[in-house]
């Protein structure tokens, strides 16, 4: 995260699988990103906010869940050219529920038949918990059952 009047020149780099933004440029900060790969971020791969300036060129942005490139506020003069944007967006459904630990958000990343345990949906946690887990999701009853018990959706 760049703030205030910070400056970043990032080239030939790889940023992969952050829980937030890949690169967040705010305030009067400037970022020049080139020939880099940004993939698997839960939020924007690159975000320019407030009065931020900079450029994004010759980079590959893929498998990001949120807005791939976010420019908002009074961000100005952002140059974007010759990039490769592929396989981005919320491809997996996202569910939210309350657990004993509080609010939880998870993506449904896989489904299977499980006659033994009935755990048919694989959840990848976004917030509130970490990791992945198989669960039984009953959308009609708004219930989730995992190996430790039932949780209301």
């Amino acid at each position: 995260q760049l703030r205030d009047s910070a400056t970043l020149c990032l080239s030939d780099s790889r940023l992969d699988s952050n829980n937030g933004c890949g690169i967040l440029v705010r305030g009067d900060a400037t970022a020049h990103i080139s020939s880099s790969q940004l993939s698997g971020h839960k939020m924007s791969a690159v975000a320019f906010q407030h009065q931020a300036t900079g450029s994004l060129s010759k980079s590959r942005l893929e498998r990001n869940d949120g807005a791939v490139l976010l420019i908002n506020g009074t961000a100005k003069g952002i140059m974007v050219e010759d990039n490769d944007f592929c396989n981005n967006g919320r491809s997996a459904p996202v569910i939210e529920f309350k657990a004993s630990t509080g609010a939880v958000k998870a993506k449904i990343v896989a489904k299977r038949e499980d006659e033994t345990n009935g755990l048919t949906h694989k959840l990848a946690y976004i917030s509130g918990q970490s990791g992945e887990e198989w669960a039984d999701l009953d959308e009609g009853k708004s219930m989730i059952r995992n190996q430790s018990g039932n949780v209301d959706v």
Side-chain angles (χ1 to χ4, degrees):
Q1 183 179 48
L2 300 168
R3 291 180 168 209
D4 303 323
S5 58
T7 300
L8 169 71
C9 292
L10 182 72
S11 181
D12 300 312
S13 297
R14 179 182 170 111
L15 283 78
D16 192 29
S17 301
N18 289 310
N19 284 330
C21 288
I23 299 173
L24 175 58
V25 188
R26 303 180 74 161
D28 292 317
T30 301
H32 298 286
I33 304 156
S34 66
S35 303
S36 294
Q37 181 173 335
L38 293 100
S39 61
H41 302 291
K42 304 274 187 215
M43 297 171 65
S44 302
V46 179
F48 292 95
Q49 298 179 337
H50 308 272
Q51 299 83 26
T53 61
S55 62
L56 175 64
S57 64
K58 299 178 182 167
S59 294
R60 182 174 178 87
L61 292 83
E62 64 181 331
R63 296 182 292 101
N64 296 289
D65 288 342
V68 180
L69 174 62
L70 175 66
I71 302 171
N72 73 354
T74 56
K76 55 191 177 295
I78 308 297
M79 181 187 72
V80 178
E81 65 179 3
D82 198 23
N83 295 292
D84 185 13
F85 298 88
C86 62
N87 299 320
N88 292 292
R90 292 182 187 256
S91 55
V94 175
I95 61 171
E96 295 182 47
F97 58 95
K98 290 183 181 178
S100 60
T101 58
V104 177
K105 188 182 287 189
K107 284 195 284 187
I108 301 171
V109 295
K111 293 182 182 180
R112 70 177 182 190
E113 295 293 324
D114 182 4
E115 294 179 19
T116 305
N117 299 310
L119 304 176
T120 56
H121 294 74
K122 186 174 187 178
L123 306 179
Y125 294 108
I126 298 169
S127 64
Q129 293 186 26
S130 61
E132 296 182 343
E133 162 177 46
W134 283 96
D136 176 30
L137 177 62
D138 185 336
E139 295 178 59
K141 294 181 181 177
S142 295
M143 296 289 290
I144 294 177
R145 181 184 61 81
N146 60 15
Q147 290 185 344
S148 63
N150 293 330
V151 179
D152 291 333
V153 176

